[in-house]
Amino acid sequence: MAMAAAITVLAVGCESPASPGQAVATPGENETPGPPVVGLESFADPATFDTPVALRAPAGDDAWYVVGKNGKVWRYDGSQSTEIIDISDEVQTQAEQGLYDFVVSPDGTRAYIHFTGSEKPYGDAHVREYEWTGSNVEGEGREVLVVPDPYPHHNGGQLQFGPDDMLYIGIGDGGTKTLTQESDNGDPHGYGQSTDELLGNVLRIDPRPSGDREYTIPDDNPFVGKDGRDEIWSYGLRNPWRLSFDRKTGDLWVPDVGHRFWEEINFQRAKSSGGQNYGWSRFEGPSPYKGDPPNEHVPPVYAYPHRGGPCAIIGGHVYRGNDIPSLVGSYIFGDFCTGELQAIRMRGGTFASHQFLGVKIENLTAFAEDRDGELFVVSITKGIQRVVPRDPN
C-alpha cells in the first residue's frame, strides 16, 4: 500500500493551485502498486449490452439498470436483460456524445435520463423525465432541462440525487470542434469560469415544474439573488464524469477529466452551501493553465499526471460495503486508459493516503454501488464486473 508518505504534496505559493494554507496531493515519483487488494468477478458478459456506460441499482427493485451510450437502457436481473428505453433515433453518438445516465427519484415515482440530442450540428444536453412503475418507464417523457452545447466533447453526463433529494447534474464545458485543434481545445469560450452559462458546472435543481419552468430552483442554491445562473451549484469544471455522494456522510466527490497533463478529484463536505470554483480553465489540476488564478479557487484534493499512460479519470464511490473491510471509507476510482483501480482516503476533510488496488480493467467507463454498498465496474469491452476481495496468498 502506498501511504501518505509516498505522496508528493505541492506547496502553496504565487504560482500554486491553491489558496494559502491548502495543497494538492499527487502521486510520488516511485509510487507502485503493492499486493493486490481486490479482484474482479464477471457479472455480465460484454456481449449482453451495447456500449455500456453506466449501471444503476435503484431502491425497491432487485434488478440492475444498464445504460448504453447508443441510446438504450436495459433492466438486468443477473441472467436476462429487457430493453426498457430506446431513444437511439434521438441521440447523437459521435465523439463523446450519447446517452450517459439513468436515475430513479428517491420516492420511486419518476426516472430521468441525460443524453445528447439530435440537434445539428452537435446536439444539446437533455435531461428527460419519465413516469416510473418500479421496473419500467411509462409515457413519452417530459423535457426537464435542455442546455445548448457548442461542440461534441466534454459533455459530463452524470445525474445524481443528493441526500437533500435534489437532482445534481454534471455538465462539461462543451469542449471544442475537434480534439486535434490544440489552439481551441482548452475551453475556447471560457465557460468553465463563467457563471452566466450552464456549461462547465454541477447544477442542482428540483426536477418538478414550477411556474413557467419545467423544474424548480432550490431557494438555497448559491447564486440565487446574485450574479450568475440560479441552477449552478459549483463551477470551474472541464468534464465532470461520474460524480457521487458518500452514502454515509453525504460528502460530494466530483472527478474532472483533464486536458493536457492532469486528472483531478474534487471534494465537497456535506452540508456545503455550494458555490465552489474548481478552477478550470485557469487551472488544470494543480497547475496554472490559462489566465490569472481565480478568486476563492478550491483546488482538487488529489491529482495524477498523464505521465505513463493515464488519460481520463473515471469517478467511482466511497466504499461502504462489508466484503472488503480495508477499503471502507476509501474513495475508489480508475482511469479509462490504464484501467487501474485506485483509492484515496480522507481524514478530517483533507487528503490522507493513496493506494493502487492491484487490478486493471480495460475501457473502464463507470463504477456502481449495489444496495449493500458493494462495488461493480463497467467496461465497454469487458462487460460488468463485481469488485471482490483478493486473497493475498
Side-chain angles (χ1 to χ4, degrees), residues 7 61 128 134 140 144 197 223 228 230 266 314 355:
I7 302 298
D61 188 351
R128 179 177 294 174
E140 296 299 315
V144 174
E197 303 287 344
F223 293 101
D230 293 347
N266 300 288
I314 305 297
Q355 66 182 124

mmCIF file with all atom_site columns, all heavy atoms in Angstrom, residues 7 61 128 134 140 144 197 223 228 230 266 314 355:
data_model
loop_
_atom_site.group_PDB
_atom_site.id
_atom_site.type_symbol
_atom_site.label_atom_id
_atom_site.label_alt_id
_atom_site.label_comp_id
_atom_site.label_asym_id
_atom_site.label_entity_id
_atom_site.label_seq_id
_atom_site.pdbx_PDB_ins_code
_atom_site.Cartn_x
_atom_site.Cartn_y
_atom_site.Cartn_z
_atom_site.occupancy
_atom_site.B_iso_or_equiv
_atom_site.pdbx_formal_charge
_atom_site.auth_seq_id
_atom_site.auth_comp_id
_atom_site.auth_asym_id
_atom_site.auth_atom_id
_atom_site.pdbx_PDB_model_num
ATOM 1   N N   . ILE A 1 7   ? 3.382   10.268 -1.042  1.00 0.00 ? 7   ILE A N   1
ATOM 2   C CA  . ILE A 1 7   ? 2.674   11.261 -1.838  1.00 0.00 ? 7   ILE A CA  1
ATOM 3   C C   . ILE A 1 7   ? 3.443   12.572 -1.853  1.00 0.00 ? 7   ILE A C   1
ATOM 4   O O   . ILE A 1 7   ? 3.953   13.025 -0.834  1.00 0.00 ? 7   ILE A O   1
ATOM 5   C CB  . ILE A 1 7   ? 1.268   11.510 -1.259  1.00 0.00 ? 7   ILE A CB  1
ATOM 6   C CG1 . ILE A 1 7   ? 0.471   10.195 -1.228  1.00 0.00 ? 7   ILE A CG1 1
ATOM 7   C CG2 . ILE A 1 7   ? 0.527   12.552 -2.041  1.00 0.00 ? 7   ILE A CG2 1
ATOM 8   C CD1 . ILE A 1 7   ? 0.246   9.584  -2.587  1.00 0.00 ? 7   ILE A CD1 1
ATOM 9   N N   . ASP A 1 61  ? -36.146 -2.425 -5.964  1.00 0.00 ? 61  ASP A N   1
ATOM 10  C CA  . ASP A 1 61  ? -36.106 -3.310 -7.128  1.00 0.00 ? 61  ASP A CA  1
ATOM 11  C C   . ASP A 1 61  ? -34.842 -4.151 -7.023  1.00 0.00 ? 61  ASP A C   1
ATOM 12  O O   . ASP A 1 61  ? -33.768 -3.626 -6.735  1.00 0.00 ? 61  ASP A O   1
ATOM 13  C CB  . ASP A 1 61  ? -36.106 -2.478 -8.409  1.00 0.00 ? 61  ASP A CB  1
ATOM 14  C CG  . ASP A 1 61  ? -36.259 -3.314 -9.669  1.00 0.00 ? 61  ASP A CG  1
ATOM 15  O OD1 . ASP A 1 61  ? -36.185 -4.553 -9.571  1.00 0.00 ? 61  ASP A OD1 1
ATOM 16  O OD2 . ASP A 1 61  ? -36.431 -2.738 -10.745 1.00 0.00 ? 61  ASP A OD2 1
ATOM 17  N N   . ARG A 1 128 ? -34.348 14.314 -19.312 1.00 0.00 ? 128 ARG A N   1
ATOM 18  C CA  . ARG A 1 128 ? -35.746 13.957 -19.573 1.00 0.00 ? 128 ARG A CA  1
ATOM 19  C C   . ARG A 1 128 ? -36.299 13.147 -18.415 1.00 0.00 ? 128 ARG A C   1
ATOM 20  O O   . ARG A 1 128 ? -35.609 12.300 -17.847 1.00 0.00 ? 128 ARG A O   1
ATOM 21  C CB  . ARG A 1 128 ? -35.855 13.163 -20.871 1.00 0.00 ? 128 ARG A CB  1
ATOM 22  C CG  . ARG A 1 128 ? -37.275 12.719 -21.231 1.00 0.00 ? 128 ARG A CG  1
ATOM 23  C CD  . ARG A 1 128 ? -37.300 11.993 -22.563 1.00 0.00 ? 128 ARG A CD  1
ATOM 24  N NE  . ARG A 1 128 ? -36.956 12.902 -23.666 1.00 0.00 ? 128 ARG A NE  1
ATOM 25  C CZ  . ARG A 1 128 ? -36.798 12.495 -24.931 1.00 0.00 ? 128 ARG A CZ  1
ATOM 26  N NH1 . ARG A 1 128 ? -36.922 11.207 -25.239 1.00 0.00 ? 128 ARG A NH1 1
ATOM 27  N NH2 . ARG A 1 128 ? -36.504 13.365 -25.866 1.00 0.00 ? 128 ARG A NH2 1
ATOM 28  N N   . GLY A 1 134 ? -41.715 1.228  -11.191 1.00 0.00 ? 134 GLY A N   1
ATOM 29  C CA  . GLY A 1 134 ? -40.987 0.361  -10.276 1.00 0.00 ? 134 GLY A CA  1
ATOM 30  C C   . GLY A 1 134 ? -40.086 -0.601 -11.004 1.00 0.00 ? 134 GLY A C   1
ATOM 31  O O   . GLY A 1 134 ? -39.170 -1.178 -10.408 1.00 0.00 ? 134 GLY A O   1
ATOM 32  N N   . GLU A 1 140 ? -44.248 9.154  -22.969 1.00 0.00 ? 140 GLU A N   1
ATOM 33  C CA  . GLU A 1 140 ? -43.239 9.660  -23.895 1.00 0.00 ? 140 GLU A CA  1
ATOM 34  C C   . GLU A 1 140 ? -42.124 10.431 -23.201 1.00 0.00 ? 140 GLU A C   1
ATOM 35  O O   . GLU A 1 140 ? -41.093 10.722 -23.802 1.00 0.00 ? 140 GLU A O   1
ATOM 36  C CB  . GLU A 1 140 ? -43.898 10.552 -24.951 1.00 0.00 ? 140 GLU A CB  1
ATOM 37  C CG  . GLU A 1 140 ? -44.876 9.821  -25.844 1.00 0.00 ? 140 GLU A CG  1
ATOM 38  C CD  . GLU A 1 140 ? -44.199 8.712  -26.630 1.00 0.00 ? 140 GLU A CD  1
ATOM 39  O OE1 . GLU A 1 140 ? -43.101 8.966  -27.168 1.00 0.00 ? 140 GLU A OE1 1
ATOM 40  O OE2 . GLU A 1 140 ? -44.759 7.609  -26.684 1.00 0.00 ? 140 GLU A OE2 1
ATOM 41  N N   . VAL A 1 144 ? -37.059 18.119 -19.060 1.00 0.00 ? 144 VAL A N   1
ATOM 42  C CA  . VAL A 1 144 ? -36.872 18.911 -17.848 1.00 0.00 ? 144 VAL A CA  1
ATOM 43  C C   . VAL A 1 144 ? -35.912 20.068 -18.099 1.00 0.00 ? 144 VAL A C   1
ATOM 44  O O   . VAL A 1 144 ? -36.172 21.203 -17.708 1.00 0.00 ? 144 VAL A O   1
ATOM 45  C CB  . VAL A 1 144 ? -36.330 18.017 -16.708 1.00 0.00 ? 144 VAL A CB  1
ATOM 46  C CG1 . VAL A 1 144 ? -35.999 18.862 -15.475 1.00 0.00 ? 144 VAL A CG1 1
ATOM 47  C CG2 . VAL A 1 144 ? -37.343 16.933 -16.363 1.00 0.00 ? 144 VAL A CG2 1
ATOM 48  N N   . GLU A 1 197 ? -23.363 30.903 -17.765 1.00 0.00 ? 197 GLU A N   1
ATOM 49  C CA  . GLU A 1 197 ? -23.696 29.781 -18.633 1.00 0.00 ? 197 GLU A CA  1
ATOM 50  C C   . GLU A 1 197 ? -23.838 28.519 -17.780 1.00 0.00 ? 197 GLU A C   1
ATOM 51  O O   . GLU A 1 197 ? -23.264 28.406 -16.702 1.00 0.00 ? 197 GLU A O   1
ATOM 52  C CB  . GLU A 1 197 ? -22.613 29.570 -19.687 1.00 0.00 ? 197 GLU A CB  1
ATOM 53  C CG  . GLU A 1 197 ? -22.328 30.779 -20.557 1.00 0.00 ? 197 GLU A CG  1
ATOM 54  C CD  . GLU A 1 197 ? -23.422 31.057 -21.565 1.00 0.00 ? 197 GLU A CD  1
ATOM 55  O OE1 . GLU A 1 197 ? -24.247 30.140 -21.802 1.00 0.00 ? 197 GLU A OE1 1
ATOM 56  O OE2 . GLU A 1 197 ? -23.458 32.174 -22.121 1.00 0.00 ? 197 GLU A OE2 1
ATOM 57  N N   . PHE A 1 223 ? -26.248 30.903 -6.120  1.00 0.00 ? 223 PHE A N   1
ATOM 58  C CA  . PHE A 1 223 ? -26.310 32.115 -6.935  1.00 0.00 ? 223 PHE A CA  1
ATOM 59  C C   . PHE A 1 223 ? -27.715 32.706 -7.011  1.00 0.00 ? 223 PHE A C   1
ATOM 60  O O   . PHE A 1 223 ? -27.944 33.657 -7.762  1.00 0.00 ? 223 PHE A O   1
ATOM 61  C CB  . PHE A 1 223 ? -25.762 31.834 -8.340  1.00 0.00 ? 223 PHE A CB  1
ATOM 62  C CG  . PHE A 1 223 ? -24.295 31.545 -8.337  1.00 0.00 ? 223 PHE A CG  1
ATOM 63  C CD1 . PHE A 1 223 ? -23.827 30.239 -8.410  1.00 0.00 ? 223 PHE A CD1 1
ATOM 64  C CD2 . PHE A 1 223 ? -23.366 32.574 -8.214  1.00 0.00 ? 223 PHE A CD2 1
ATOM 65  C CE1 . PHE A 1 223 ? -22.471 29.965 -8.376  1.00 0.00 ? 223 PHE A CE1 1
ATOM 66  C CE2 . PHE A 1 223 ? -22.003 32.311 -8.183  1.00 0.00 ? 223 PHE A CE2 1
ATOM 67  C CZ  . PHE A 1 223 ? -21.558 31.005 -8.268  1.00 0.00 ? 223 PHE A CZ  1
ATOM 68  N N   . GLY A 1 228 ? -25.082 35.423 -11.696 1.00 0.00 ? 228 GLY A N   1
ATOM 69  C CA  . GLY A 1 228 ? -24.847 34.026 -12.032 1.00 0.00 ? 228 GLY A CA  1
ATOM 70  C C   . GLY A 1 228 ? -26.153 33.268 -12.180 1.00 0.00 ? 228 GLY A C   1
ATOM 71  O O   . GLY A 1 228 ? -27.191 33.679 -11.657 1.00 0.00 ? 228 GLY A O   1
ATOM 72  N N   . ASP A 1 230 ? -29.017 30.702 -11.566 1.00 0.00 ? 230 ASP A N   1
ATOM 73  C CA  . ASP A 1 230 ? -29.546 30.148 -10.319 1.00 0.00 ? 230 ASP A CA  1
ATOM 74  C C   . ASP A 1 230 ? -29.387 28.635 -10.226 1.00 0.00 ? 230 ASP A C   1
ATOM 75  O O   . ASP A 1 230 ? -29.365 28.078 -9.122  1.00 0.00 ? 230 ASP A O   1
ATOM 76  C CB  . ASP A 1 230 ? -31.028 30.488 -10.187 1.00 0.00 ? 230 ASP A CB  1
ATOM 77  C CG  . ASP A 1 230 ? -31.285 31.975 -9.992  1.00 0.00 ? 230 ASP A CG  1
ATOM 78  O OD1 . ASP A 1 230 ? -30.321 32.711 -9.709  1.00 0.00 ? 230 ASP A OD1 1
ATOM 79  O OD2 . ASP A 1 230 ? -32.458 32.392 -10.119 1.00 0.00 ? 230 ASP A OD2 1
ATOM 80  N N   . ASN A 1 266 ? -12.156 16.376 -7.041  1.00 0.00 ? 266 ASN A N   1
ATOM 81  C CA  . ASN A 1 266 ? -12.614 17.465 -6.178  1.00 0.00 ? 266 ASN A CA  1
ATOM 82  C C   . ASN A 1 266 ? -13.539 16.909 -5.098  1.00 0.00 ? 266 ASN A C   1
ATOM 83  O O   . ASN A 1 266 ? -14.239 15.911 -5.308  1.00 0.00 ? 266 ASN A O   1
ATOM 84  C CB  . ASN A 1 266 ? -13.341 18.525 -7.013  1.00 0.00 ? 266 ASN A CB  1
ATOM 85  C CG  . ASN A 1 266 ? -12.440 19.129 -8.071  1.00 0.00 ? 266 ASN A CG  1
ATOM 86  O OD1 . ASN A 1 266 ? -11.539 19.889 -7.768  1.00 0.00 ? 266 ASN A OD1 1
ATOM 87  N ND2 . ASN A 1 266 ? -12.674 18.763 -9.333  1.00 0.00 ? 266 ASN A ND2 1
ATOM 88  N N   . ILE A 1 314 ? -12.099 8.078  -14.270 1.00 0.00 ? 314 ILE A N   1
ATOM 89  C CA  . ILE A 1 314 ? -13.440 7.523  -14.174 1.00 0.00 ? 314 ILE A CA  1
ATOM 90  C C   . ILE A 1 314 ? -13.811 7.514  -12.695 1.00 0.00 ? 314 ILE A C   1
ATOM 91  O O   . ILE A 1 314 ? -13.265 6.741  -11.906 1.00 0.00 ? 314 ILE A O   1
ATOM 92  C CB  . ILE A 1 314 ? -13.509 6.093  -14.750 1.00 0.00 ? 314 ILE A CB  1
ATOM 93  C CG1 . ILE A 1 314 ? -12.998 6.068  -16.197 1.00 0.00 ? 314 ILE A CG1 1
ATOM 94  C CG2 . ILE A 1 314 ? -14.927 5.556  -14.645 1.00 0.00 ? 314 ILE A CG2 1
ATOM 95  C CD1 . ILE A 1 314 ? -13.818 6.886  -17.172 1.00 0.00 ? 314 ILE A CD1 1
ATOM 96  N N   . GLN A 1 355 ? -3.644  4.619  -2.692  1.00 0.00 ? 355 GLN A N   1
ATOM 97  C CA  . GLN A 1 355 ? -3.102  3.303  -2.980  1.00 0.00 ? 355 GLN A CA  1
ATOM 98  C C   . GLN A 1 355 ? -3.643  2.789  -4.317  1.00 0.00 ? 355 GLN A C   1
ATOM 99  O O   . GLN A 1 355 ? -4.774  3.086  -4.720  1.00 0.00 ? 355 GLN A O   1
ATOM 100 C CB  . GLN A 1 355 ? -3.434  2.290  -1.879  1.00 0.00 ? 355 GLN A CB  1
ATOM 101 C CG  . GLN A 1 355 ? -4.914  1.969  -1.744  1.00 0.00 ? 355 GLN A CG  1
ATOM 102 C CD  . GLN A 1 355 ? -5.209  1.003  -0.621  1.00 0.00 ? 355 GLN A CD  1
ATOM 103 O OE1 . GLN A 1 355 ? -5.993  1.302  0.260   1.00 0.00 ? 355 GLN A OE1 1
ATOM 104 N NE2 . GLN A 1 355 ? -4.583  -0.168 -0.644  1.00 0.00 ? 355 GLN A NE2 1
#
